[in-house]
Structures are given as C-alpha cells and as structure tokens.
Amino acid sequence: ILTILGNSAVLATAVKRSSLLKSPELLTVNLAVADIGMAISMYPLAIASAWNHAWLGGDASCIYYALMGFLFGVCSMMTLCAMAVIRFLVTNSSKSNSNKITKNTVRVLITLIWLYSLLWAILPLVGWGYYGPEPFGISCTIAWSKFHNSSNGFSFILSMFLLCTVLPALTIVACYLGIAWKIHKAYQEIQNIDRIPNAAKLEKKLTLMAVLISVGFLSSWTPYAAASFWSIFNSSDSLQPIVTLLPCLFAKSSTAYNPFIYYIFSKTFRREIKQLQCCCGWRVHFFSTDNSAENPVSMMWSG
C-alpha cells in the first residue's frame, strides 16, 4: 500500500510538472515506475501465497514472479547507478558542460537500462541460469540452490553478481565519495564567506537525497544478497526458513522508502503533494494551516 500510494504520488507529480522536469529527474520517475511495477506485478501473488501457506499457480506463476522480480530489481539498481554517475558529472562539470545532459540523452539511457534488465531477466528462460521457489516456499526467484552443483548456474550467478550488483554498487559508492570530496573542497574555499551560496546548499541537499535513496536500496537488498550467496556454496537446508524469509521481506520493502525521502528533502514535491487532487475526487491536504489546528491532516470530499 505504501509503495503504490507513495510512488503513484511521485508519478502524478511528475506528470503535473512534466514541462518543468529537469533531465536527471527523469531517472527518479523511472525508479518510481520500477518500484510500483514490482508492487503491482509481484506483491499480490506473494501475499495470497502467504495466506495459503504454499505457492499458488504452479511453475508458470513461479517463473513469472521470479522474472518480474529480477527485471524490476536490476532496473532499480542500474537506475540508481545512472543517477550517481549523472550527479557526479554534474557536480564535477562546469555549468555549460552539465547542460549537455539533455532529456533525450536521459531517455536513451533509460531505454538502455530497461533493455539491459530485460536481457538478464530472460536469460534463465533460454537456458543460462534457473528460476525456482524460495526456500521458505511462498515466493520465487533465481534458483540459488542449484548453483553449487551446476556450472551453468554457477557461471550465471557470478556474472549476475558482478555485472548487476557488485560493479553498479562500487560505481555508486565511488561517485558519491567523489561528490562528497568535491563538496568538501568547495566548502573549504568559501569557509571565510559569511553566507554559503544557495547553489552550494542546493547541491549538498540533492546529493544527500540521492545518497539516502541509494543507501536505502543497498541496505535493503544486502541481507538478501548475502543469504542468496550463502546458498550457492551450501545447501538451502542449512538456513532456517525464517533466515531466508526476513531478508526477502526486507528487500521488498525497498520500494516504499523513496517517496518519503523525496517528501523530506524536496520542497517542490511537498508543495505538489499538498495541491494534489486525485481523479476520484478526494483532495488531500498535508499539514494544512488553513484548516482547523485540531485536524492538521484533512481529507475533503470535493464531489
């Protein structure tokens, strides 16, 4: 519910401000699309299976669920990597060079991200790697348990970890460390000035927001990646079901964090949320000062 409502608000705000969106903000929209796509295509089936205490639908639905998870997961990771690289280029370039990152350039980049994600998602369907149920039995993913005795699966998982997890994660860390160093040097140069320029404050805020988005995603998926990597070299029976279930649930929660980060750090997003009027006729005012102080968050039927 949080994922769908939060990311729907992000998308609605983006549509309303489509003509004012800057090029890097298109990646934020793409990240929201991936998050809401994961929630809509996967979570209802997993919830129903949890209530059933067993996976529903058989092998076909298992492959579908795993494919969707892999597709949207890789897309989110590569989008975060692209965001970090663009933030690094913008921070370390002159204003004239930073303007070269046009919307068309970002659109091409987003298209390549989806094609790259789709390629990795369909590889298990054509014979490199496998999809299968999780050890706790109520969701599906890459069949980690087959990799410790299969050269095919072993080569796939190592390649996937390297190209879809390790290298993007290292790129994200390296870019934000470079940005942090650049901002630190800039603040040292202006430390004798009484007032820090607004541009420098904005750059710091945008970088902090991007860092928190990346940290939230990586922190959510790291326990799941660790449990999955363990099952490559050991039998899945060596881990208790709860040990494999909790990292999976924590990883799925990553789709709900970003709208809250936007709300905290973006004045524009907060303003648009306050003015957002849904097509169903409900108008939501967050922290409105125009209404009664006893009811700072009001929902008013306007039909």
Side-chain angles (χ1 to χ4, degrees):
I1 292 174
L2 289 176
T3 296
I4 293 175
L5 292 180
N7 287 287
S8 294
V10 174
L11 295 179
T13 301
V15 170
K16 187 177 179 181
R17 298 183 59 252
S18 57
S19 60
L20 302 176
L21 287 178
K22 297 179 181 179
S23 301
E25 290 180 309
L26 295 177
L27 291 170
T28 301
V29 175
N30 191 57
L31 190 60
V33 170
D35 288 344
I36 200 171
M38 181 178 288
I40 293 175
S41 65
M42 298 172 59
Y43 295 174
L45 185 56
I47 293 170
S49 297
W51 282 105
N52 188 57
H53 299 281
W55 181 252
L56 294 174
D59 293 339
S61 64
C62 184
I63 293 174
Y64 159 80
Y65 183 94
L67 186 146
M68 290 294 104
F70 200 16
L71 171 65
F72 291 120
V74 173
C75 180
S76 296
M77 186 65 169
M78 301 311 297
T79 300
L80 291 172
C81 183
M83 289 173 63
V85 172
I86 289 180
R87 289 297 312 155
F88 178 81
L89 294 177
V90 170
T91 303
N92 289 275
S93 300
S94 62
K95 185 175 181 179
S96 59
N97 290 332
S98 63
N99 290 334
K100 293 181 179 179
I101 304 177
T102 64
K103 286 188 177 181
N104 286 334
T105 302
V106 177
R107 289 190 185 103
V108 171
L109 180 58
I110 290 173
T111 302
L112 293 176
I113 288 173
W114 280 103
L115 291 176
Y116 183 80
S117 305
L118 182 62
L119 172 64
W120 279 100
I122 64 176
L123 284 176
L125 302 181
V126 297
W128 193 28
Y130 312 93
Y131 286 136
E134 299 269 17
F136 50 86
I138 56 173
S139 71
C140 295
T141 184
I142 297 169
W144 309 102
S145 59
K146 295 185 178 181
F147 295 159
H148 67 278
N149 58 7
S150 169
S151 58
N152 183 347
F154 187 73
S155 62
F156 173 78
I157 192 61
L158 287 182
S159 301
M160 186 274 293
F161 259 111
L162 179 64
L163 299 176
C164 298
T165 305
V166 177
L167 287 181
L170 291 177
T171 301
I172 291 171
V173 172
C175 286
Y176 286 131
L177 286 177
I179 293 172
W181 177 252
K182 177 73 174 181
I183 293 177
H184 173 70
K185 297 296 290 184
Y187 269 71
Q188 281 189 329
E189 293 175 0
I190 61 176
Q191 62 182 350
N192 295 326
I193 302 177
D194 293 336
R195 296 184 62 186
I196 298 175
N198 289 333
K201 294 180 180 179
L202 178 61
E203 188 69 32
K204 184 177 180 180
K205 180 181 290 187
L206 291 175
T207 300
L208 180 58
M209 182 176 72
V211 168
L212 289 177
I213 292 171
S214 299
V215 168
F217 183 86
L218 294 176
S219 299
S220 299
W221 282 93
T222 296
Y224 181 77
S228 301
F229 203 74
W230 171 270
S231 64
I232 296 175
F233 303 100
N234 302 274
S235 172
S236 58
D237 295 335
S238 62
L239 295 175
Q240 294 295 324
I242 193 67
V243 177
T244 57
L245 173 62
L246 291 180
C248 182
L249 294 177
F250 192 45
K252 297 299 189 295
S253 71
S254 65
T255 58
Y257 302 152
N258 295 337
F260 292 97
I261 297 175
Y262 303 147
Y263 191 85
I264 293 172
F265 286 91
S266 174
K267 291 182 179 179
T268 301
F269 185 60
R270 288 199 299 271
R271 184 174 64 251
E272 293 294 337
I273 287 296
K274 293 174 184 178
Q275 299 174 352
L276 189 61
Q277 184 170 355
C278 301
C279 61
C280 63
W282 284 92
R283 189 173 183 180
V284 184
H285 296 277
F286 290 94
F287 307 106
S288 174
T289 57
D290 298 332
N291 298 312
S292 171
E294 296 179 357
N295 186 20
V297 182
S298 64
M299 301 183 68
M300 182 174 61
W301 178 251
S302 63

